Amino acid sequence: MKRRKVLKYLSILPVSSVVQPKILPLAVEKANIYPGDDLFEELGVRTFLNAAGTYTGMTGSLMREETLEAIRNSSTHFCMLSDLQDKVGAQIAKIVHAEYAMVTSGCFSALTLGLAGVMTGKDDQKIRALPHLAGTGIKSEVICQKGHNVEYSRALTNTGCKIIPVETAEDVEKAINERTAMLFFINLMTDNGKIKQEEWLALAKKHQIPTMIDIAADVPPVSNLWKFNDMGFDLVCISGGKAMRGPQSAGILMGKRPFIEAARLNTSPHGDTIGRGMKVNKEEIFGMYLALKTFVKQDHEAEFRKQQQQVDTIKKEVLQVSKGITAEVVVPKYGNVTPTLHLAWDARQVRASGKDIQTRLREGTPSIEIASSETDKLVLTVWMLKAGEEKIVAQRLKEELQKGG
Ligand SMILES: *Cc1c(COP(=O)(O)O)cnc(C)c1O
Protein backbone atom coordinates (compact mmCIF):
# COMPACT_ATOMS: atom_id res chain seq x y z
CA MET A 1 0.00 0.00 0.00
CA LYS A 2 1.22 3.42 -0.93
CA ARG A 3 2.22 5.75 1.89
CA ARG A 4 0.09 8.51 0.42
CA LYS A 5 -2.99 6.34 0.77
CA VAL A 6 -2.22 5.41 4.34
CA LEU A 7 -1.86 9.07 5.22
CA LYS A 8 -5.12 9.86 3.47
CA TYR A 9 -6.95 7.28 5.53
CA LEU A 10 -5.24 8.29 8.74
CA SER A 11 -6.25 11.88 8.18
CA ILE A 12 -9.95 11.05 7.98
CA LEU A 13 -9.96 8.97 11.15
CA PRO A 14 -10.83 10.71 14.38
CA VAL A 15 -7.64 11.61 16.25
CA SER A 16 -8.45 9.23 19.10
CA SER A 17 -8.77 6.24 16.78
CA VAL A 18 -5.44 6.79 15.08
CA VAL A 19 -3.71 5.57 18.19
CA GLN A 20 -6.04 2.59 18.57
CA PRO A 21 -4.45 -0.31 16.73
CA LYS A 22 -7.84 -2.11 16.45
CA ILE A 23 -9.34 0.40 14.05
CA LEU A 24 -6.29 1.07 11.94
CA PRO A 25 -6.01 -2.33 10.19
CA LEU A 26 -9.62 -2.09 9.03
CA ALA A 27 -9.03 1.30 7.46
CA VAL A 28 -5.89 0.10 5.74
CA GLU A 29 -7.64 -2.95 4.40
CA LYS A 30 -10.39 -0.77 2.96
CA ALA A 31 -7.86 1.36 1.22
CA ASN A 32 -6.46 -1.69 -0.47
CA ILE A 33 -9.81 -2.87 -1.75
CA TYR A 34 -10.84 0.57 -2.95
CA PRO A 35 -7.74 2.15 -4.38
CA GLY A 36 -9.75 5.26 -5.39
CA ASP A 37 -8.02 7.46 -7.88
CA ASP A 38 -5.67 4.68 -8.94
CA LEU A 39 -8.50 2.79 -10.65
CA PHE A 40 -7.84 4.64 -13.92
CA GLU A 41 -4.27 3.48 -13.66
CA GLU A 42 -5.24 -0.05 -12.69
CA LEU A 43 -7.45 -0.40 -15.77
CA GLY A 44 -5.17 1.58 -18.03
CA VAL A 45 -7.83 4.17 -18.83
CA ARG A 46 -6.50 7.45 -20.23
CA THR A 47 -7.52 10.60 -18.36
CA PHE A 48 -7.15 14.05 -19.88
CA LEU A 49 -7.51 17.79 -19.46
CA ASN A 50 -10.89 18.64 -20.93
CA ALA A 51 -10.61 21.69 -23.20
CA ALA A 52 -13.46 20.30 -25.29
CA GLY A 53 -16.68 20.78 -23.33
CA THR A 54 -19.52 18.81 -21.77
CA TYR A 55 -19.46 15.85 -24.13
CA THR A 56 -21.21 12.64 -23.12
CA GLY A 57 -18.44 10.60 -24.73
CA MET A 58 -15.92 12.40 -22.50
CA THR A 59 -18.02 11.73 -19.38
CA GLY A 60 -19.66 15.16 -19.40
CA SER A 61 -18.57 17.29 -16.45
CA LEU A 62 -16.98 16.85 -13.04
CA MET A 63 -19.28 16.86 -10.04
CA ARG A 64 -18.75 19.35 -7.23
CA GLU A 65 -17.71 18.23 -3.75
CA GLU A 66 -21.18 19.07 -2.38
CA THR A 67 -22.77 16.77 -4.95
CA LEU A 68 -20.39 13.92 -4.20
CA GLU A 69 -21.09 14.41 -0.52
CA ALA A 70 -24.86 14.19 -1.13
CA ILE A 71 -24.33 11.00 -3.11
CA ARG A 72 -22.14 9.45 -0.41
CA ASN A 73 -24.48 10.42 2.43
CA SER A 74 -27.63 9.25 0.68
CA SER A 75 -26.08 5.92 -0.17
CA THR A 76 -26.20 4.84 3.48
CA HIS A 77 -30.01 4.72 3.81
CA PHE A 78 -32.96 3.05 2.15
CA CYS A 79 -36.05 4.99 1.18
CA MET A 80 -39.05 4.52 -1.09
CA LEU A 81 -38.15 5.71 -4.55
CA SER A 82 -41.60 7.19 -5.12
CA ASP A 83 -41.49 9.06 -1.80
CA LEU A 84 -38.16 10.57 -2.81
CA GLN A 85 -39.35 11.54 -6.32
CA ASP A 86 -42.50 13.14 -4.78
CA LYS A 87 -40.49 15.28 -2.40
CA VAL A 88 -37.60 16.16 -4.66
CA GLY A 89 -40.02 16.89 -7.50
CA ALA A 90 -41.89 19.40 -5.36
CA GLN A 91 -38.66 21.15 -4.30
CA ILE A 92 -37.19 21.28 -7.80
CA ALA A 93 -40.52 22.60 -9.10
CA LYS A 94 -40.28 25.58 -6.71
CA ILE A 95 -36.78 26.43 -7.93
CA VAL A 96 -37.69 26.27 -11.63
CA HIS A 97 -41.20 27.86 -11.41
CA ALA A 98 -42.94 24.68 -12.53
CA GLU A 99 -45.93 22.78 -11.20
CA TYR A 100 -43.89 19.65 -10.77
CA ALA A 101 -40.64 17.94 -11.72
CA MET A 102 -38.86 14.60 -11.69
CA VAL A 103 -35.27 13.49 -11.92
CA THR A 104 -34.69 11.41 -15.05
CA SER A 105 -31.68 9.55 -16.39
CA GLY A 106 -30.44 12.43 -18.54
CA CYS A 107 -32.28 14.84 -20.78
CA PHE A 108 -32.77 12.08 -23.35
CA SER A 109 -34.97 10.06 -21.02
CA ALA A 110 -36.78 13.24 -19.92
CA LEU A 111 -37.80 13.60 -23.58
CA THR A 112 -38.97 9.98 -23.81
CA LEU A 113 -40.79 9.90 -20.49
CA GLY A 114 -42.36 13.33 -20.90
CA LEU A 115 -43.83 12.32 -24.25
CA ALA A 116 -44.86 8.92 -22.88
CA GLY A 117 -46.72 10.73 -20.10
CA VAL A 118 -48.52 12.93 -22.63
CA MET A 119 -49.47 9.86 -24.69
CA THR A 120 -50.63 7.51 -21.95
CA GLY A 121 -51.84 9.65 -19.10
CA LYS A 122 -52.41 7.34 -16.15
CA ASP A 123 -54.06 4.63 -18.26
CA ASP A 124 -52.38 1.38 -17.35
CA GLN A 125 -53.28 -0.33 -20.62
CA LYS A 126 -51.84 2.49 -22.66
CA ILE A 127 -48.66 2.51 -20.56
CA ARG A 128 -48.19 -1.18 -21.26
CA ALA A 129 -48.96 -0.78 -24.97
CA LEU A 130 -46.03 1.55 -25.75
CA PRO A 131 -44.31 1.53 -28.24
CA HIS A 132 -46.92 -0.44 -30.23
CA LEU A 133 -49.60 2.14 -30.93
CA ALA A 134 -51.66 0.56 -33.72
CA GLY A 135 -55.27 0.10 -32.70
CA THR A 136 -54.79 1.66 -29.25
CA GLY A 137 -56.16 5.10 -30.04
CA ILE A 138 -53.05 6.66 -28.52
CA LYS A 139 -52.00 9.84 -30.30
CA SER A 140 -48.99 8.98 -32.43
CA GLU A 141 -47.51 12.09 -34.05
CA VAL A 142 -45.08 14.72 -32.83
CA ILE A 143 -44.67 17.88 -34.90
CA CYS A 144 -41.32 19.63 -34.99
CA GLN A 145 -39.43 21.90 -37.35
CA LYS A 146 -37.14 20.23 -39.89
CA GLY A 147 -34.09 21.89 -38.39
CA HIS A 148 -35.02 20.50 -34.97
CA ASN A 149 -35.41 16.95 -36.21
CA VAL A 150 -31.93 15.82 -35.16
CA GLU A 151 -30.46 12.70 -33.56
CA TYR A 152 -32.34 13.31 -30.31
CA SER A 153 -35.67 12.71 -32.12
CA ARG A 154 -34.93 9.08 -31.33
CA ALA A 155 -35.90 9.86 -27.72
CA LEU A 156 -39.38 10.66 -29.02
CA THR A 157 -39.76 7.89 -31.60
CA ASN A 158 -38.83 5.38 -28.85
CA THR A 159 -42.41 5.78 -27.64
CA GLY A 160 -43.76 4.60 -30.99
CA CYS A 161 -44.53 8.13 -32.19
CA LYS A 162 -43.70 9.45 -35.65
CA ILE A 163 -42.04 12.80 -36.23
CA ILE A 164 -43.89 15.13 -38.59
CA PRO A 165 -41.35 17.70 -39.83
CA VAL A 166 -42.62 21.17 -40.76
CA GLU A 167 -41.12 24.48 -41.84
CA THR A 168 -43.73 27.23 -41.62
CA ALA A 169 -46.64 28.15 -39.35
CA GLU A 170 -48.91 27.19 -42.22
CA ASP A 171 -47.30 23.73 -42.31
CA VAL A 172 -48.03 23.38 -38.60
CA GLU A 173 -51.68 24.26 -39.10
CA LYS A 174 -51.93 21.68 -41.87
CA ALA A 175 -50.04 18.99 -39.94
CA ILE A 176 -52.19 19.18 -36.81
CA ASN A 177 -54.87 16.49 -36.69
CA GLU A 178 -56.52 14.15 -34.19
CA ARG A 179 -53.35 12.03 -33.99
CA THR A 180 -51.12 14.94 -32.93
CA ALA A 181 -49.67 14.20 -29.50
CA MET A 182 -47.27 17.09 -29.03
CA LEU A 183 -45.34 20.02 -30.52
CA PHE A 184 -41.60 19.74 -29.87
CA PHE A 185 -38.91 22.45 -29.90
CA ILE A 186 -35.14 22.27 -29.35
CA ASN A 187 -33.75 25.50 -27.94
CA LEU A 188 -30.25 24.76 -29.24
CA MET A 189 -31.70 24.63 -32.78
CA THR A 190 -33.58 27.95 -32.55
CA ASP A 191 -31.68 29.45 -35.47
CA ASN A 192 -32.29 26.36 -37.62
CA GLY A 193 -36.01 27.02 -37.85
CA LYS A 194 -38.28 29.83 -39.05
CA ILE A 195 -40.59 29.60 -36.03
CA LYS A 196 -39.26 30.86 -32.67
CA GLN A 197 -40.30 29.82 -29.15
CA GLU A 198 -43.19 32.29 -28.67
CA GLU A 199 -44.83 31.57 -32.00
CA TRP A 200 -44.41 27.81 -31.55
CA LEU A 201 -46.10 28.03 -28.19
CA ALA A 202 -48.92 30.21 -29.55
CA LEU A 203 -49.61 27.67 -32.31
CA ALA A 204 -49.80 24.86 -29.76
CA LYS A 205 -52.04 26.83 -27.40
CA LYS A 206 -54.39 27.74 -30.24
CA HIS A 207 -54.97 24.04 -30.93
CA GLN A 208 -54.62 22.97 -27.27
CA ILE A 209 -51.74 20.64 -27.98
CA PRO A 210 -49.08 19.96 -25.33
CA THR A 211 -45.63 21.46 -25.95
CA MET A 212 -42.19 20.29 -24.97
CA ILE A 213 -38.88 22.13 -25.19
CA ASP A 214 -35.44 20.51 -24.99
CA ILE A 215 -33.03 22.85 -23.19
CA ALA A 216 -30.43 20.13 -22.53
CA ALA A 217 -27.34 22.32 -22.90
CA ASP A 218 -28.93 25.72 -22.26
CA VAL A 219 -27.68 26.73 -18.82
CA PRO A 220 -26.00 29.11 -18.34
CA PRO A 221 -27.79 31.47 -18.33
CA VAL A 222 -29.31 30.18 -15.09
CA SER A 223 -32.59 31.98 -15.88
CA ASN A 224 -33.26 29.42 -18.61
CA LEU A 225 -34.13 27.01 -15.79
CA TRP A 226 -37.42 28.91 -15.31
CA LYS A 227 -37.75 30.99 -18.48
CA PHE A 228 -39.58 28.34 -20.51
CA ASN A 229 -41.79 27.26 -17.62
CA ASP A 230 -42.76 30.93 -17.20
CA MET A 231 -43.44 31.17 -20.95
CA GLY A 232 -45.91 28.31 -20.72
CA PHE A 233 -44.23 25.25 -22.21
CA ASP A 234 -45.97 22.20 -20.76
CA LEU A 235 -42.76 20.20 -20.45
CA VAL A 236 -39.14 21.35 -20.21
CA CYS A 237 -36.24 18.88 -20.38
CA ILE A 238 -32.66 19.53 -19.27
CA SER A 239 -29.42 17.62 -18.76
CA GLY A 240 -28.08 17.42 -15.23
CA GLY A 241 -24.54 16.46 -16.10
CA LYS A 242 -23.55 19.33 -18.36
CA ALA A 243 -22.94 22.83 -16.95
CA MET A 244 -24.93 22.05 -13.79
CA ARG A 245 -22.30 19.43 -12.92
CA GLY A 246 -24.80 16.97 -11.58
CA PRO A 247 -24.44 13.23 -12.11
CA GLN A 248 -23.75 12.72 -15.83
CA SER A 249 -26.54 10.15 -15.99
CA ALA A 250 -29.17 12.50 -14.52
CA GLY A 251 -31.50 15.11 -15.93
CA ILE A 252 -34.74 16.89 -15.07
CA LEU A 253 -38.23 16.79 -16.54
CA MET A 254 -40.26 19.77 -15.35
CA GLY A 255 -43.60 21.31 -16.16
CA LYS A 256 -47.28 20.45 -15.79
CA ARG A 257 -48.13 18.07 -12.99
CA PRO A 258 -50.50 15.66 -14.80
CA PHE A 259 -47.94 14.95 -17.51
CA ILE A 260 -45.13 14.38 -15.04
CA GLU A 261 -47.21 12.15 -12.79
CA ALA A 262 -48.00 10.10 -15.91
CA ALA A 263 -44.34 10.17 -16.97
CA ARG A 264 -43.40 8.63 -13.64
CA LEU A 265 -45.75 5.73 -14.27
CA ASN A 266 -43.81 5.03 -17.47
CA THR A 267 -40.51 4.35 -15.73
CA SER A 268 -38.75 2.54 -12.89
CA PRO A 269 -39.79 1.11 -10.47
CA HIS A 270 -42.77 0.16 -12.67
CA GLY A 271 -41.69 -2.99 -14.46
CA ASP A 272 -43.80 -3.28 -17.57
CA THR A 273 -42.97 0.13 -19.03
CA ILE A 274 -40.76 1.50 -21.81
CA GLY A 275 -38.86 3.53 -19.22
CA ARG A 276 -38.00 0.73 -16.81
CA GLY A 277 -34.42 0.72 -18.06
CA MET A 278 -34.08 4.49 -17.57
CA LYS A 279 -33.52 3.98 -13.90
CA VAL A 280 -32.30 6.68 -11.53
CA ASN A 281 -31.49 5.66 -8.01
CA LYS A 282 -31.56 7.76 -4.86
CA GLU A 283 -27.88 8.69 -5.08
CA GLU A 284 -28.35 10.26 -8.50
CA ILE A 285 -31.60 11.91 -7.46
CA PHE A 286 -29.98 13.50 -4.39
CA GLY A 287 -26.90 14.34 -6.45
CA MET A 288 -29.05 16.05 -9.08
CA TYR A 289 -30.96 17.99 -6.46
CA LEU A 290 -27.80 19.20 -4.75
CA ALA A 291 -26.18 20.09 -8.08
CA LEU A 292 -29.23 22.13 -9.07
CA LYS A 293 -29.36 23.97 -5.75
CA THR A 294 -25.65 24.72 -5.86
CA PHE A 295 -25.79 25.82 -9.49
CA VAL A 296 -28.63 28.26 -8.83
CA LYS A 297 -26.74 29.84 -5.92
CA GLN A 298 -23.47 30.10 -7.81
CA ASP A 299 -22.04 33.53 -8.73
CA HIS A 300 -22.62 33.16 -12.46
CA GLU A 301 -20.99 36.45 -13.42
CA ALA A 302 -17.83 35.55 -11.55
CA GLU A 303 -17.82 32.11 -13.17
CA PHE A 304 -18.16 33.67 -16.63
CA ARG A 305 -15.36 36.16 -15.91
CA LYS A 306 -13.13 33.27 -14.81
CA GLN A 307 -13.81 31.47 -18.07
CA GLN A 308 -13.04 34.65 -20.04
CA GLN A 309 -9.72 35.00 -18.23
CA GLN A 310 -8.84 31.38 -18.88
CA VAL A 311 -9.63 31.75 -22.59
CA ASP A 312 -7.60 34.98 -22.73
CA THR A 313 -4.61 33.22 -21.19
CA ILE A 314 -4.66 30.64 -23.98
CA LYS A 315 -5.35 33.22 -26.69
CA LYS A 316 -2.43 35.46 -25.62
CA GLU A 317 0.03 32.58 -25.45
CA VAL A 318 -0.97 31.18 -28.82
CA LEU A 319 -0.83 34.55 -30.58
CA GLN A 320 2.87 34.77 -29.67
CA VAL A 321 3.47 32.15 -32.33
CA SER A 322 2.45 34.69 -35.07
CA LYS A 323 2.58 32.59 -38.31
CA GLY A 324 -0.68 34.18 -39.45
CA ILE A 325 -2.62 32.77 -36.53
CA THR A 326 -5.93 34.41 -35.68
CA ALA A 327 -7.84 33.83 -32.46
CA GLU A 328 -11.45 34.71 -31.98
CA VAL A 329 -13.49 34.25 -28.80
CA VAL A 330 -17.14 33.53 -29.53
CA VAL A 331 -19.97 33.02 -27.04
CA PRO A 332 -22.72 30.90 -28.64
CA LYS A 333 -26.20 32.37 -28.36
CA TYR A 334 -27.96 29.03 -27.82
CA GLY A 335 -26.45 26.10 -25.94
CA ASN A 336 -22.99 25.83 -24.38
CA VAL A 337 -22.97 29.54 -23.56
CA THR A 338 -19.30 29.82 -22.69
CA PRO A 339 -16.35 31.72 -24.21
CA THR A 340 -15.24 29.48 -27.06
CA LEU A 341 -11.86 29.95 -28.71
CA HIS A 342 -11.65 29.58 -32.49
CA LEU A 343 -8.06 29.42 -33.74
CA ALA A 344 -7.26 29.63 -37.45
CA TRP A 345 -3.96 29.93 -39.28
CA ASP A 346 -2.22 30.28 -42.58
CA ALA A 347 -1.65 26.72 -43.73
CA ARG A 348 1.59 27.77 -45.53
CA GLN A 349 3.13 28.87 -42.24
CA VAL A 350 1.80 26.31 -39.75
CA ARG A 351 2.36 23.07 -41.64
CA ALA A 352 0.46 20.79 -39.26
CA SER A 353 -3.24 20.34 -39.87
CA GLY A 354 -5.79 20.91 -37.14
CA LYS A 355 -6.31 17.15 -36.94
CA ASP A 356 -2.53 16.59 -36.49
CA ILE A 357 -2.42 19.07 -33.64
CA GLN A 358 -5.54 17.57 -32.04
CA THR A 359 -3.87 14.13 -32.15
CA ARG A 360 -0.59 15.40 -30.72
CA LEU A 361 -2.39 17.13 -27.86
CA ARG A 362 -4.26 13.90 -27.16
CA GLU A 363 -1.11 11.81 -27.25
CA GLY A 364 1.04 14.29 -25.32
CA THR A 365 1.66 14.54 -21.60
CA PRO A 366 -0.67 15.46 -20.06
CA SER A 367 -3.25 14.33 -22.58
CA ILE A 368 -5.54 17.15 -23.70
CA GLU A 369 -8.85 16.98 -25.57
CA ILE A 370 -10.18 19.92 -27.58
CA ALA A 371 -13.65 20.42 -29.07
CA SER A 372 -12.94 20.06 -32.79
CA SER A 373 -10.44 20.59 -35.59
CA GLU A 374 -10.34 21.20 -39.33
CA THR A 375 -7.49 21.60 -41.83
CA ASP A 376 -6.50 25.02 -40.53
CA LYS A 377 -8.71 25.48 -37.50
CA LEU A 378 -9.14 24.43 -33.88
CA VAL A 379 -11.99 25.04 -31.45
CA LEU A 380 -11.73 24.74 -27.68
CA THR A 381 -13.43 25.78 -24.46
CA VAL A 382 -12.19 26.20 -20.90
CA TRP A 383 -15.23 25.66 -18.68
CA MET A 384 -14.41 22.02 -17.97
CA LEU A 385 -10.76 22.79 -17.09
CA LYS A 386 -9.67 22.92 -13.48
CA ALA A 387 -8.09 26.15 -12.22
CA GLY A 388 -4.62 26.52 -13.68
CA GLU A 389 -5.00 23.87 -16.36
CA GLU A 390 -5.50 26.61 -18.96
CA LYS A 391 -1.80 27.42 -18.58
CA ILE A 392 -0.85 23.88 -19.51
CA VAL A 393 -3.24 23.90 -22.48
CA ALA A 394 -1.82 27.25 -23.62
CA GLN A 395 1.75 25.98 -23.38
CA ARG A 396 1.06 22.73 -25.25
CA LEU A 397 -0.89 24.47 -28.02
CA LYS A 398 1.91 26.98 -28.47
CA GLU A 399 4.49 24.21 -28.71
CA GLU A 400 2.53 22.30 -31.33
CA LEU A 401 1.76 25.38 -33.42
CA GLN A 402 5.40 26.39 -33.31
CA LYS A 403 6.57 22.93 -34.35
CA GLY A 404 4.21 22.74 -37.28
CA GLY A 405 6.39 24.38 -39.88
C1 LIG B 1 -26.94 16.61 -24.56
C2 LIG B 1 -28.24 16.77 -25.25
C3 LIG B 1 -29.27 15.84 -25.08
C4 LIG B 1 -29.08 14.57 -24.26
O1 LIG B 1 -28.91 14.86 -22.93
P1 LIG B 1 -28.41 13.74 -21.87
O2 LIG B 1 -28.48 14.45 -20.58
O3 LIG B 1 -27.03 13.33 -22.28
O4 LIG B 1 -29.36 12.61 -21.96
C5 LIG B 1 -30.49 16.07 -25.67
N1 LIG B 1 -30.68 17.18 -26.45
C6 LIG B 1 -29.72 18.09 -26.67
C7 LIG B 1 -30.00 19.29 -27.53
C8 LIG B 1 -28.46 17.92 -26.08
O5 LIG B 1 -27.49 18.82 -26.28
Side-chain angles (χ1 to χ4, degrees):
M1 152 155 228
K2 286 183 194 151
R3 204 177 103 79
R4 184 165 60 86
K5 285 272 182 276
V6 178
L7 289 177
K8 198 164 141 192
Y9 268 81
L10 285 179
S11 69
I12 60 168
L13 287 171
V15 177
S16 61
S17 63
V18 174
V19 292
Q20 288 175 13
K22 259 188 224 154
I23 291 177
L24 193 55
L26 180 66
V28 170
E29 200 182 348
K30 249 194 179 166
N32 275 330
I33 299 170
Y34 306 110
D37 54 355
D38 287 346
L39 284 178
F40 285 106
E41 223 176 285
E42 182 182 317
L43 297 176
V45 173
R46 174 176 64 98
T47 59
F48 50 84
L49 275 53
N50 183 353
T54 59
Y55 292 93
T56 298
M58 297 184 187
T59 66
S61 57
L62 299 180
M63 287 183 270
R64 293 189 189 82
E65 272 311 313
E66 297 94 314
T67 305
L68 292 168
E69 195 65 21
I71 288 173
R72 193 160 30 236
N73 290 343
S74 62
S75 70
T76 56
H77 299 285
F78 289 98
C79 68
M80 296 310 285
L81 197 56
S82 60
D83 186 22
L84 175 56
Q85 282 280 27
D86 285 349
K87 309 274 162 65
V88 86
Q91 287 310 311
I92 291 177
K94 276 188 207 159
I95 297 174
V96 300
H97 308 185
E99 278 178 27
Y100 205 35
M102 68 182 283
V103 176
T104 58
S105 58
C107 181
F108 196 96
S109 92
L111 302 175
T112 304
L113 297 179
L115 174 58
V118 167
M119 291 164 69
T120 64
K122 291 185 174 175
D123 185 322
D124 194 43
Q125 259 184 334
K126 289 181 176 173
I127 289 169
R128 278 186 282 136
L130 261 51
H132 306 291
L133 309 182
T136 60
I138 301 174
K139 293 187 193 316
S140 58
E141 295 179 0
V142 173
I143 299 172
C144 88
Q145 296 181 78
K146 260 189 190 152
H148 296 223
N149 188 12
V150 294
E151 63 194 292
Y152 299 113
S153 288
R154 167 57 80 143
L156 305 174
T157 58
N158 272 350
T159 61
C161 265
K162 269 199 308 214
I163 301 285
I164 311 294
V166 295
E167 285 181 87
T168 62
E170 211 188 341
D171 292 348
V172 177
E173 298 277 3
K174 276 195 217 143
I176 290 175
N177 65 65
E178 70 284 354
R179 294 181 301 278
T180 306
M182 195 174 81
L183 260 67
F184 177 62
F185 196 99
I186 303 185
N187 202 54
L188 185 65
M189 300 297 159
T190 301
D191 287 340
N192 293 2
K194 291 199 177 87
I195 310 172
K196 305 304 173 204
Q197 290 82 346
E198 289 81 359
E199 191 185 357
W200 192 253
L201 199 56
L203 282 163
K205 296 280 177 218
K206 180 175 161 195
H207 295 276
Q208 300 187 340
I209 295 173
T211 45
M212 173 188 277
I213 186 165
D214 169 339
I215 61 162
D218 290 287
V219 291
V222 65
S223 56
N224 275 352
L225 277 170
W226 42 85
K227 178 177 172 182
F228 303 101
N229 292 309
D230 289 344
M231 268 174 82
F233 277 90
D234 294 296
L235 291 169
V236 180
C237 308
I238 191 165
S239 292
K242 291 179 178 170
M244 277 200 279
R245 295 174 179 267
Q248 166 64 20
S249 49
I252 300 172
L253 174 66
M254 43 197 168
K256 300 284 151 57
R257 180 177 273 276
F259 294 137
I260 294 173
E261 285 180 349
R264 276 183 49 192
L265 297 176
N266 277 282
T267 186
S268 164
H270 306 287
D272 190 5
T273 61
I274 56 157
R276 173 59 180 80
M278 304 173 193
K279 186 193 261 187
V280 251
N281 200 23
K282 61 175 178 291
E283 292 84 356
E284 292 159 309
I285 294 175
F286 278 109
M288 183 69 255
Y289 178 52
L290 234 289
L292 172 71
K293 285 211 301 182
T294 316
F295 179 73
V296 169
K297 273 190 282 182
Q298 181 179 313
D299 183 344
H300 295 275
E301 277 171 29
E303 176 62 30
F304 192 79
R305 275 198 304 276
K306 189 187 89 190
Q307 292 169 14
Q308 278 177 320
Q309 283 162 4
Q310 286 178 303
V311 153
D312 277 345
T313 301
I314 299 176
K315 181 175 159 181
K316 271 192 205 132
E317 194 74 15
V318 164
L319 285 179
Q320 287 175 15
V321 186
S322 63
K323 290 192 180 179
I325 294 174
T326 59
E328 197 192 353
V329 179
V330 181
V331 181
K333 192 165 167 217
Y334 297 102
N336 305 305
V337 180
T338 183
T340 304
L341 184 61
H342 291 253
L343 292 178
W345 55 84
D346 179 346
R348 286 163 307 185
Q349 295 189 60
V350 176
R351 300 244 175 81
S353 74
K355 280 265 171 283
D356 291 339
I357 293 176
Q358 185 174 19
T359 306
R360 288 185 207 154
L361 291 173
R362 179 175 293 147
E363 290 172 356
T365 309
S367 180
I368 295 167
E369 289 289 345
I370 58 166
S372 67
S373 64
E374 287 173 44
T375 314
D376 51 1
K377 284 192 186 81
L378 288 179
V379 180
L380 58 97
T381 67
V382 295
W383 60 343
M384 293 298 122
L385 292 175
K386 293 177 200 153
E389 286 183 347
E390 72 279 4
K391 298 199 183 86
I392 303 171
V393 173
Q395 195 54 41
R396 286 288 299 123
L397 257 176
K398 188 170 141 189
E399 272 170 34
E400 292 304 338
L401 286 163
Q402 254 160 357
K403 257 196 235 164

